[in-house]
């Protein structure tokens, strides 16, 4: 393999696309201190009050070690609170704060524009096909962090 051949490899293309998506999220949210992973975590904490770190990591397909750092940042920003579990004192239950809810209300309406920016070069049919193919890939690897069903849409 020549170095120039790397540019046609799926791993390279997916990594570059991830960089584009991350940059689009950051650019659309330059006025707030929030990453895409923190946004996903905050959504799940809001929608699943009392979720613990392990379940949150599973829900957003993030490794359990790093999720602790994400939770710590969200807590230090005052966006969530951690409380001892009612049944297991070792487990910390996560809940969104009013400040966290306000931030979600500000950022969530921007998501369609972020998606449009990422998919800008594609036609409507190509966008639909790309999402379909990415979903097939994501669902194919359930043991590697997929939070959704392992059965691809047919």
């Amino acid at each position: 393999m020549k170095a120039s051949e790397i540019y046609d490899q799926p791993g390279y293309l997916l990594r570059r696309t991830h960089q584009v998506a991350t940059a689009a999220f950051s650019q659309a949210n330059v006025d707030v201190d929030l990453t895409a992973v923190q946004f996903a975590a905050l959504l799940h904490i809001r929608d699943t009050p009392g979720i613990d770190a392990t379940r949150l990591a599973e829900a957003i397909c993030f490794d359990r070690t790093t999720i602790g750092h994400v939770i710590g940042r969200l807590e230090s920003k005052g966006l969530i609170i951690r409380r001892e579990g009612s049944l297991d004192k070792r487990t910390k239950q996560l809940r969104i704060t009013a400040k966290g809810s306000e931030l979600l209300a500000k950022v969530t309406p921007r998501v369609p524009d972020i998606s449009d920016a990422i998919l800008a070069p594609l036609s409507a049919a190509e966008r639909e096909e790309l999402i379909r193919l990415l979903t097939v890939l994501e669902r194919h690897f359930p043991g590697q962090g997929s939070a959704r069903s392992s059965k691809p849409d047919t």
Side-chain angles (χ1 to χ4, degrees):
M1 174 180 265
K2 295 179 182 176
S4 62
E5 294 177 69
I6 197 73
Y7 304 119
D8 295 324
Q9 299 303 308
Y12 172 84
L13 293 168
L14 289 168
R15 181 183 62 79
R16 284 289 299 128
T17 305
H18 178 260
Q19 289 173 329
V20 168
T22 300
F25 185 90
S26 296
Q27 195 169 39
N29 293 293
V30 70
D31 61 325
V32 296
D33 181 21
L34 193 72
T35 68
V37 171
Q38 291 169 357
F39 175 69
L42 204 53
L43 282 172
H44 277 279
I45 293 167
R46 181 201 63 197
D47 292 351
T48 316
I51 192 170
D52 63 49
T54 300
R55 304 303 157 259
L56 179 60
E58 291 169 358
I60 65 170
C61 302
F62 216 65
D63 67 274
R64 285 175 32 186
T65 303
T66 311
I67 199 68
H69 299 294
V70 173
I71 291 168
R73 284 187 215 103
L74 292 173
E75 187 177 34
S76 70
K77 295 175 188 181
L79 303 175
I80 65 167
I81 55 170
R82 286 191 251 201
R83 293 197 176 135
E84 286 184 351
S86 55
L87 299 175
D88 184 350
K89 301 295 183 198
R90 297 169 297 172
T91 302
K92 302 292 185 212
Q93 295 180 333
L94 308 172
R95 296 195 185 282
I96 195 166
T97 63
K99 183 178 177 182
S101 293
E102 289 170 13
L103 184 60
L104 279 182
K106 184 174 186 175
V107 173
T108 300
R110 300 172 181 180
V111 172
D113 291 336
I114 296 167
S115 295
D116 285 344
I118 295 165
L119 301 174
L122 304 178
S123 69
E126 289 169 330
R127 289 175 181 208
E128 194 172 302
E129 181 65 1
L130 177 62
I131 296 301
R132 188 190 71 74
L133 291 171
L134 290 172
T135 301
V136 168
L137 287 174
E138 193 268 343
R139 290 181 180 178
H140 181 75
F141 301 101
Q144 298 177 20
S146 178
R148 297 189 290 184
S149 166
S150 62
K151 295 180 185 175
D153 291 339
T154 53

